[in-house]
Amino acid sequence: MKRFTVLLATAVAALLSGCGGNTCDRIDAAQKRFFGSSNQCSYTSGSSTVTVRTNQASLSSCNAALAKCTTADLQVLDGYTKCIEAAPACTAGNEKAAADAFTACIGQLITVSGTSITSKLSTECGAGFQ
């Protein structure tokens, strides 16, 4: 069986999860609701498994990153936050809908063109989340 892991979703979740402040608190709360007591959400479709994961970043790291974000960056982050807040929680029997919604939210933060992935955040803001 092939295993397809949405690594980009993992990376973005790791960068944004566990943050403080208004934007960071909202992202953290939405991701805790989405993942519950787990750190991943998976489903199998045919011979592929799709997995989205989260990881905790520090409060100070998130706040430091936000300090480097432009107004446009904050609008991008707000769109992502609203999307995650609206995504269905990853619960038994609902994994596909949840993981697909979470993956779609990642589209708020990046542009994918072929094999190229580009952040919609400014370099300064995006680098602060690493």
Side-chain angles (χ1 to χ4, degrees):
M1 175 195 307
K2 291 182 182 179
R3 180 155 176 91
F4 175 72
T5 303
V6 183
L7 295 176
L8 186 55
T10 301
V12 172
L15 296 176
L16 297 177
S17 180
C19 302
N22 187 30
T23 298
C24 296
D25 282 343
R26 286 178 55 211
I27 292 169
D28 182 53
Q31 289 187 1
K32 284 180 180 174
R33 180 198 55 81
F34 177 87
F35 287 102
S37 62
S38 181
N39 65 351
Q40 69 179 31
C41 183
S42 300
Y43 71 90
T44 300
S45 179
S47 62
S48 297
T49 299
V50 176
T51 301
V52 293
R53 294 185 176 105
T54 190
N55 195 357
Q56 296 296 316
S58 73
L59 173 65
S60 61
S61 170
C62 181
N63 286 326
L66 284 179
K68 298 176 183 176
C69 297
T70 65
T71 301
D73 292 328
L74 294 175
Q75 289 175 341
V76 168
L77 289 171
D78 186 58
Y80 169 77
T81 303
K82 287 177 181 175
C83 186
I84 293 297
E85 288 171 336
C90 184
T91 56
N94 195 43
E95 296 90 350
K96 182 178 184 335
D100 288 351
F102 189 89
T103 301
C105 292
I106 300 305
Q108 299 284 328
L109 299 172
I110 61 166
T111 300
V112 178
S113 178
T115 59
S116 176
I117 299 171
T118 306
S119 175
K120 293 181 181 178
L121 298 173
S122 68
T123 302
E124 295 78 16
C125 179
F129 286 107
Q130 295 180 9

